[in-house]
């Protein structure tokens, strides 16, 4: 990699970047993990989860949507930012019904892995325990909305890759929720197929292949052996090759 | 209504409550009504809350159930994990799981039996049995045993550890594992995992033998007390293997009356409801099951180690069978009904579990790769297992969209509800009646309850209306912290 590329400062490290890269992309490429939940290398940045928040020249920004500029001074880890990220993740835990021990996505779940990475050890806020029934109307797919963190990755994948627009978000603020584009509102009445991209992007355990849960033993799941900070860097590298 | 269940005029009586009953799993309460002369008028063991786990599981996908039911009880998660898996085997059409899957599940189950029995005897009950029912209460605990009998206490710890290792190896974790799934298991046992257990086994067998001998000697020293204490005659219920031998993982239901005559035998798990019914009483949340053909008044029975080793025709492992013969010889030609002999029976089962584990480890199919099987779907399934504390029944109905629509659980401790109540009434009659109640006398009541090793946590279906807590779990699935609705923290 040639070293004439422009640079910015990330905490106490100089990071070279390719013009057009976001701060998050440049950081990952330079081998620095940035926690995030709504970012997916194959999709345009979204900036909704705010977990990747950094300070750019003193201003708070989402690193996944902010392009890198030469000479920028970017703060990734500080007590304040680390606390902020932790609080955001805790809020996500309390907004939904996340019961890791009995969730089939445990060990493969990005929310759980990020929570662990950030040292989230308690829910902190009073859980809301919303009532959200599961949608099991599709013969091969279960939709468990108890765990949706509204990252819109499935929305993006279904629209941009599958060209089906099976999923959408509806409502605002606290009432915002995932809906299915069928008159009945039931997944079984959409043309979602198990091969669709939308099946494989959910960072938590909402969109699930039926009858597969718990088939992978503890010890062989995605984040069993290595933390997400390592897995994410590998994935970013794989993406660039 | 039985004697001492209900006092004629409770308003005139003095009420004593033992709450919580100590050194049992979960939270329960005993109330005793006495008159001015300390005559006992009423004795009850209550479960003071009920949390309706059955409803919680409705509407959830069936494959989640074996993992989710472990939250029913922090003490007996493995038993629920396996009973649910067995029930759901039927739903996915696995009438028989693969040989490897069965061996792995058996290893998990006998590991659980071993660790649970070790915990109960060495940790919860040995303080009474070794130090005395009325010994100094400050020292009547596991610390006291550790001081007075350090070797015995240490053996208990090591036995428990071995059982927990068998669980970890088969389920992936010591608690909240995932090893068993509808239709089979998600992993087999590697050669190195097997070797790890096999290396420890000879010592485990030796300690288990010493344990049986110790209980037999305690009995011989104090025979009259052991045989009379809280003794009430009743029927017995357990699974037995299809060959009539002791089998704690699978089989058919058999019941005997108090004299040993068969009431029913060869009852398939699916047909449990034709033989067993449950009753409710206003004063306890714990139900009262009974054998249908005998009726609610007299149809109650005992489950657990003492029921099992007398209900079967024989034990299929040599050391445990010899030990069983010795126990049966203390009561030639008659069934044993003494609660304190549960301890002896429990140690025989612990020895049996060690022997069974030895056999499983020798079986090359434990390393097999054929882990799951399935067949034509069914809409319901019943799974019955002999959990450490007794017969455990899980029954589910699953709809065509794969969601659970009905769940019925009868946990081990519930089967013993009436038997425990009768035992403490018997103890109250013999020891309390007419005496000023002291701590030592009240401990007699608890000793009788402890003999049954109740899990009141299970009996309460201790989970709560959905959802009661948030658990933060690390990537390996270990619970870092658990937060309950009222902000109370509990260790993971
Ligand atoms: S279902 Fe999954 S991918 Fe879709 S918005 Fe919710 S969390 Fe994101
Ligand atoms: Ni229990």
């Amino acid at each position: 990699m040639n070293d004439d590329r422009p640079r910015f400062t990330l905490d106490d490290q100089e990071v070279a970047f390719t013009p057009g890269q976001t701060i998050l992309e440049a950081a990952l490429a330079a081998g620095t993990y940035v926690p995030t939940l709504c970012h997916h290398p194959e999709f345009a940045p979204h900036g909704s989860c705010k977990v990747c928040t950094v300070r750019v020249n003193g201003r708070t920004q989402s690193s996944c949507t902010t392009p890198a500029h030469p000479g920028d001074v970017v703060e990734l880890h500080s007590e304040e930012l680390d606390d902020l990220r932790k609080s955001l993740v805790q809020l996500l835990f309390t907004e939904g019904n996340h019961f890791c021990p009995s969730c089939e996505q445990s060990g493969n779940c990005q929310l759980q892995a990020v929570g662990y990475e950030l040292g989230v050890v308690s829910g902190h806020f009073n859980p809301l325990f919303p009532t959200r029934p599961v949608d099991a109307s599709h013969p091969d797919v279960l939709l468990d909305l108890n765990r949706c963190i509204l990252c819109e990755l499935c929305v993006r994948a279904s629209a941009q890759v599958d060209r089906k627009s099976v999923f959408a978000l509806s409502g605002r603020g606290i009432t915002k929720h995932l809906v299915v584009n069928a008159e009945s509102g039931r997944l079984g009445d959409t043309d979602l197929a198990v091969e669709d991209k939308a099946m494989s992007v959910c960072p938590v355990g909402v969109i699930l292949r039926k009858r597969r849960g718990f088939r992978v033993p503890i010890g062989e799941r995605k984040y069993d052996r290595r933390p997400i900070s390592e897995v994410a860097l590998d994935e970013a590298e794989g993406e660039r090759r | 209504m039985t004697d001492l269940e209900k006092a004629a005029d409770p308003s005139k009586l003095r009420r004593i409550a033992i709450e919580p009953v100590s050194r049992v799993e979960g939270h329960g309460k005993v109330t005793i009504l006495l008159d001015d002369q300390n005559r006992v008028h009423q004795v009850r063991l209550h479960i003071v809350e009920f949390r309706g786990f059955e409803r919680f599981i409705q509407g959830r996908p069936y494959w989640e159930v074996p993992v989710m039911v472990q939250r029913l009880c922090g003490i007996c998660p493995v038993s629920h994990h396996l009973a649910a898996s067995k029930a759901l085997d039927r739903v996915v059409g696995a009438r028989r799981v693969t040989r490897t899957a069965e061996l792995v599940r058996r290893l998990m189950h006998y590991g659980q039996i071993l660790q649970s029995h070790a915990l109960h005897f060495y940790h919860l009950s040995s303080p009474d049995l070794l130090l005395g029912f009325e010994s100094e209460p400050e020292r009547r605990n596991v610390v006291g045993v550790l001081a007075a009998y350090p070797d015995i206490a240490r053996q208990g710890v090591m036995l428990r550890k071995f059982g927990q290792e068998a669980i970890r190896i088969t389920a992936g974790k010591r608690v909240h594992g995932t090893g068993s799934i509808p239709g089979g298991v998600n992993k087999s046992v590697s050669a190195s995992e097997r070797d790890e257990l096999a290396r420890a086994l000879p010592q485990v067998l030796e300690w288990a033998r010493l344990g049986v001998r110790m209980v037999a000697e305690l009995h011989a020293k104090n025979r009259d007390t052991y045989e009379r204490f809280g003794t009430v005659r009743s029927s017995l219920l357990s699974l037995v293997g299809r060959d009539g031998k002791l089998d704690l993982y699978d089989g058919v239901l058999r019941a005997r009356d108090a004299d040993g005559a068969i009431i029913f035998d060869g009852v398939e798990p699916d047909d449990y409801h034709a033989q067993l019914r449950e009753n409710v009483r206003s004063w306890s949340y714990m139900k009262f099951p009974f054998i249908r053909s005998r009726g609610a008044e007299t149809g109650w029975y005992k489950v657990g180690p003492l029921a099992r080793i007398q209900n079967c025709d024989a034990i299929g492992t040599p050391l445990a069978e010899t030990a069983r013969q010795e126990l049966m010889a203390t009561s030639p030609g008659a069934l044993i009904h003494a609660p304190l002999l549960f301890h002896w029976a429990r140690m025989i089962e612990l020895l049996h579990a060690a022997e069974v584990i030895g056999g499983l480890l020798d079986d090359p199919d434990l390393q097999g790769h054929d882990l799951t099987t399935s067949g034509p779907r069914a809409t319901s399934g019943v799974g019955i297992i002999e959990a450490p504390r007794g017969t455990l029944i899980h029954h589910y109905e699953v709809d065509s969209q794969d969601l659970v629509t009905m769940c019925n659980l009868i946990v081990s401790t519930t089967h013993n509800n009436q038997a425990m109540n009768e035992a403490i009434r018997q103890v109250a009659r013999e020891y309390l009646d007419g005496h000023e109640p002291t701590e030592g006398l009240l401990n007699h009541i608890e000793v009788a309850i402890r003999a049954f090793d109740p899990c009141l946590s299970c009996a309460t279906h201790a989970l709560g209306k959905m959802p009661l807590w948030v658990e933060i779990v690390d990537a390996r699935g270990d619970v870092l912290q658990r937060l309950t609705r009222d902000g109370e923290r509990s260790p993971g």
Side-chain angles (χ1 to χ4, degrees):
Chain A
M1 198 155 279
N2 87 56
D3 269 333
D4 317 336
R5 292 187 304 159
R7 287 156 189 273
F8 65 93
T9 312
L10 183 64
D11 288 341
D12 46 14
Q13 171 201 358
E14 290 275 288
V15 171
F17 67 96
T18 310
Q21 267 183 329
T22 61
I23 291 173
L24 184 136
E25 285 164 346
L28 284 179
T32 299
Y33 169 69
V34 181
T36 172
L37 289 168
C38 69
H39 176 75
H40 190 292
E42 290 169 48
F43 294 97
H46 192 248
S48 63
C49 79
K50 306 288 179 206
V51 173
C52 72
T53 296
V54 293
R55 270 181 187 280
V56 185
N57 305 323
R59 289 188 50 206
T60 321
Q61 308 268 15
S62 294
S63 65
C64 71
T65 51
T66 309
H69 281 297
D72 275 354
V73 178
V74 179
E75 203 176 69
L76 172 62
H77 289 294
S78 67
E79 212 183 308
E80 183 203 351
L81 287 168
D82 290 342
D83 280 352
L84 170 78
R85 280 185 209 111
K86 237 165 127 162
S87 299
L88 286 168
V89 171
Q90 282 172 333
L91 271 174
L92 290 173
F93 268 107
T94 52
E95 272 170 14
N97 295 315
H98 299 278
F99 306 110
C100 302
S102 56
C103 175
E104 62 188 275
Q105 199 64 2
S106 215
N108 297 314
C109 172
Q110 208 171 319
L111 178 62
Q112 181 189 40
V114 167
Y116 188 50
E117 181 74 28
L118 300 182
V120 174
V121 290
S122 84
H124 194 76
F125 303 101
N126 276 332
L128 294 177
F129 297 129
T131 313
R132 301 183 193 152
V134 303
D135 179 348
S137 57
H138 194 287
D140 299 312
V141 184
L142 180 81
L143 203 59
D144 189 342
L145 296 170
N146 287 293
R147 303 163 184 153
C148 183
I149 59 169
L150 306 173
C151 72
E152 285 190 62
L153 272 168
C154 60
V155 179
R156 290 179 271 165
S158 188
Q160 295 166 26
V161 181
D162 304 330
R163 311 249 164 232
K164 290 183 180 176
S165 295
V166 168
F167 299 104
L169 291 194
S170 166
R172 306 190 131 263
I174 194 81
T175 70
K176 190 148 98 174
H177 62 285
L178 188 76
V179 292
V180 161
N181 286 327
E183 217 167 300
S184 62
R186 309 285 288 164
L187 194 65
D189 294 325
T190 69
D191 50 358
L192 180 74
V194 290
E195 306 77 34
D196 289 354
K197 186 74 184 174
M199 287 296 302
S200 64
V201 292
C202 182
V204 289
V206 180
I207 306 171
L208 299 160
R209 239 347 245 288
K210 277 187 172 178
R211 303 175 288 274
R212 294 277 175 91
F214 303 104
R215 293 218 158 198
V216 180
I218 292 168
E220 290 173 29
R221 302 169 307 182
K222 189 167 178 184
Y223 302 113
D224 277 341
R225 293 220 175 93
R226 295 186 317 149
I228 190 167
S229 53
E230 290 175 25
V231 176
L233 290 179
D234 281 4
E235 282 177 355
E237 197 171 318
E239 201 54 41
R240 283 193 302 279
R241 270 201 299 264
Chain B
M1 207 63 64
T2 59
D3 194 18
L4 294 192
E5 180 173 331
K6 192 172 190 309
D9 190 357
S11 61
K12 297 211 178 76
L13 301 171
R14 183 154 66 111
R15 183 170 175 277
I16 293 180
I18 307 175
E19 184 185 12
V21 180
S22 60
R23 281 181 284 132
V24 302
E25 309 291 7
H27 186 107
K29 163 165 104 168
V30 173
T31 52
I32 304 168
L33 299 185
L34 301 173
D35 65 17
D36 292 343
Q37 281 76 50
N38 291 319
R39 314 275 343 174
V40 178
H41 288 256
Q42 180 181 300
V43 183
R44 292 170 172 177
L45 166 66
H46 317 240
I47 290 288
V48 285
E49 66 185 311
F50 173 71
R51 290 174 163 176
F53 187 83
E54 281 102 334
R55 244 172 302 138
F56 178 78
I57 211 115
Q58 279 170 26
R60 298 304 308 173
Y62 75 78
W63 55 88
E64 201 176 69
V65 173
V67 176
M68 176 162 314
V69 289
Q70 299 185 82
R71 292 164 58 192
L72 248 165
C73 177
I75 313 301
C76 328
V78 174
S79 305
H80 291 295
H81 182 53
L82 289 171
S85 299
K86 288 181 66 186
L88 293 161
D89 285 347
R90 301 306 183 101
V91 169
V92 302
R95 294 217 55 97
R96 261 206 97 87
V97 295
T98 67
R99 188 167 156 70
T100 297
E102 173 151 346
L103 294 176
V104 171
R105 285 183 182 180
R106 281 183 182 270
L107 179 55
M108 192 190 300
H109 185 50
Y110 283 92
Q112 161 76 353
I113 296 279
L114 206 154
Q115 78 89 12
S116 175
H117 282 2
L119 176 72
H120 180 262
F121 182 76
Y122 293 91
H123 203 99
L124 304 178
S125 285
S126 74
D128 298 320
L129 304 178
L130 293 174
L131 306 175
F133 300 175
E134 293 194 58
S135 60
E136 234 181 293
E138 294 71 36
R139 291 185 59 248
R140 199 197 308 136
N141 51 41
V142 71
V143 179
V145 174
L146 197 58
Y149 302 92
D151 285 351
I152 293 174
R154 204 179 64 88
Q155 286 165 17
V157 170
M158 298 307 286
L159 283 170
R160 177 140 193 254
K161 224 172 156 184
F162 177 80
Q164 289 173 323
E165 270 307 284
I167 294 169
R168 186 189 60 76
I169 282 169
T170 48
K173 280 169 53 190
R174 283 180 174 190
V175 282
H176 280 310
T178 65
S180 183
I181 56 180
V185 294
N186 66 17
K187 74 184 286 282
S188 57
V189 172
S190 72
S192 69
E193 288 168 333
R194 176 203 58 202
D195 293 346
E196 185 190 325
L197 292 175
R199 266 195 302 278
L201 189 70
Q203 182 65 75
V204 164
L205 277 166
E206 184 52 28
W207 286 331
R209 288 174 72 158
L210 289 173
V212 177
R213 198 186 306 153
M214 175 171 57
V215 204
E217 281 165 8
L218 284 168
H219 172 261
K221 261 192 247 159
N222 211 345
R223 213 172 148 157
D224 185 53
T225 305
Y226 267 73
E227 290 175 5
R228 280 173 42 158
F229 189 85
T231 299
V232 270
R233 287 162 53 82
S234 74
S235 305
L236 312 176
L237 173 85
S238 73
L239 284 180
V240 292
R242 280 162 204 286
D243 57 0
K245 291 200 178 128
L246 183 71
D247 190 334
L248 304 179
Y249 172 74
D250 195 32
V252 286
L253 288 169
R254 176 186 282 179
R256 289 181 193 274
D257 70 15
D259 295 317
I262 297 278
I263 301 174
F264 57 75
D265 195 7
V267 172
E268 290 294 335
D270 288 347
D271 300 328
Y272 81 95
H273 200 246
Q275 305 296 341
L276 303 177
R277 285 292 151 97
E278 288 177 290
N279 218 346
V280 288
R281 315 245 162 109
S282 59
W283 49 269
S284 178
Y285 281 112
M286 185 153 51
K287 288 183 183 169
F288 290 82
F290 60 93
I291 293 168
R292 194 180 170 191
S293 62
R294 301 265 151 148
E297 286 299 310
T298 56
W300 55 278
Y301 49 87
K302 298 185 198 75
V303 299
L306 188 61
R308 293 190 287 240
I309 68 157
Q310 299 188 94
N311 212 8
C312 67
D313 303 334
I315 297 181
T317 56
L319 298 176
E321 175 57 14
T322 306
R324 187 183 89 98
Q325 296 291 349
E326 262 170 57
L327 170 56
M328 305 283 275
T330 65
S331 174
L335 284 191
I336 299 164
H337 292 287
L340 287 181
L341 287 174
F342 264 94
H343 294 295
W344 191 344
R346 197 170 285 118
M347 295 311 274
I348 293 171
E349 285 191 343
L350 191 155
L351 177 58
H352 172 61
E355 289 183 284
V356 169
I357 288 173
L360 292 167
L361 296 178
D362 283 343
D363 195 317
D365 281 341
L366 195 61
Q367 276 85 58
H369 298 289
D370 199 3
L371 302 182
T372 56
T373 183
S374 62
R377 271 285 285 269
T379 53
S380 77
V382 176
I384 306 187
I385 199 161
E386 283 296 328
R389 298 170 169 81
T391 313
L392 171 63
I393 302 176
H394 278 223
H395 181 188
Y396 303 98
E397 281 171 13
V398 178
D399 69 13
S400 60
Q401 297 192 344
D402 300 322
L403 302 182
V404 174
T405 54
M406 191 286 295
C407 160
N408 186 40
L409 309 171
I410 308 180
V411 302
S412 320
T413 296
T414 301
H415 293 288
N416 276 334
N417 193 0
Q418 184 83 29
M420 288 188 290
N421 271 286
E422 294 301 337
I424 60 176
R425 285 167 198 151
Q426 183 58 31
V427 169
R429 267 181 218 112
E430 181 159 355
Y431 293 88
L432 257 62
D433 206 40
H435 300 277
E436 182 57 32
T438 60
E439 192 280 338
L441 281 177
L442 293 178
N443 186 49
H444 282 63
I445 299 274
E446 296 190 64
V447 168
I449 296 170
R450 262 174 231 132
F452 290 86
D453 186 16
C455 180
L456 302 176
S457 161
C458 265
T460 313
H461 293 169
L463 178 82
K465 298 140 215 133
M466 156 143 188
L468 196 70
W469 64 48
V470 176
E471 280 177 324
I472 308 292
V473 172
D474 66 23
R476 280 167 295 279
D478 291 318
V479 178
L480 294 174
Q481 196 177 359
R482 178 179 298 157
L483 216 71
T484 60
R485 181 150 36 196
D486 49 14
E488 185 184 49
R489 281 171 190 193
S490 66

